[in-house]
Amino acid sequence: MAIIIIRTVIVYFSLLVTMRLLGKRQLGEMELSEFILAALIADLASLPLQDLGIPMINGLVPIMVLFCCELLIAGLSMKNVRLRAFFSGKPSLLIVRGKICQGEMHRNRFTPDELMQELRNQGILDISSVQYAILETDGKLNVVPFAAKCPATAEQLGINISDEGYPFIVINNGRVLQGNLKQLGLDMNWLDKQLRQKGLRSPKQVFLMTADSSGRIYMAEREGAK
């Protein structure tokens, strides 16, 4: 039993380090090569866990080789446009100025039902209001409406709106995040004052507290804290 646990922990952390080194973009947007890598790694990682007679090195070495191949492909793709198009493909225009490009739809095996679903997901019901619909290489559909169909911005309306700033988490489940306080130019004296105004004695009574550079504060007390 101890051997199984140790082998499982080794494989787990090996996969964790490998996938982390691939970067955040790969974790959120899987290209074709990355999907193949993930499928192969999952299969290879299971072998030394299922059969204790297989040496651990027989499972870890192929994973490292695949990881190096992916890094090599990613590096070459960044430097060469043709290789990037070969490995990752190119974005496809499915709608151009309100007209469906049926050839591109067939080429990407994208059905009208799937197109309508993707448009509904983005709050668009009228295809004629779409200037461009681009099927990206990771399978996501980005929709660009005609300018007349886009919501008016404050700048277009001539309205001056002050910047509200980015809300930093100051207290996370009772724990004070000193680094975020420093980012805002605040200290514990300021925090203690805010807590007293809410009738609280300790940060441990707060489930979540955020603050931004404009002075806006959000505070949620921990349930049953008082």
Side-chain angles (χ1 to χ4, degrees), residues 16-113:
L16 185 64
V17 171
T18 300
M19 298 307 293
R20 184 65 186 87
L21 289 175
L22 286 176
K24 294 183 178 180
R25 187 191 69 80
Q26 283 84 352
L27 293 176
E29 305 170 3
M30 294 189 72
E31 300 285 358
L32 178 60
S33 62
E34 296 155 1
F35 176 77
I36 294 173
L37 175 69
L40 288 175
I41 284 180
D43 188 51
L44 290 169
S46 66
L47 294 178
L49 299 181
Q50 293 173 350
D51 188 351
L52 298 181
I54 299 177
M56 282 293 299
I57 197 70
N58 288 9
L60 295 179
V61 169
I63 291 175
M64 293 299 106
V65 172
L66 289 172
F67 170 67
C68 292
C69 289
E70 174 59 27
L71 287 184
L72 179 62
I73 290 174
L76 292 175
S77 297
M78 289 180 65
K79 296 180 179 180
N80 191 296
V81 176
R82 292 183 178 179
L83 278 178
R84 184 162 61 246
F86 176 77
F87 286 117
S88 301
K90 296 180 179 179
S92 299
L93 287 169
L94 301 188
I95 299 177
V96 177
R97 303 190 67 83
K99 182 180 179 180
I100 298 176
C101 302
Q102 298 182 30
E104 288 296 317
M105 292 276 291
H106 292 311
R107 193 172 296 113
N108 289 279
R109 297 177 180 83
F110 211 81
T111 66
D113 291 336

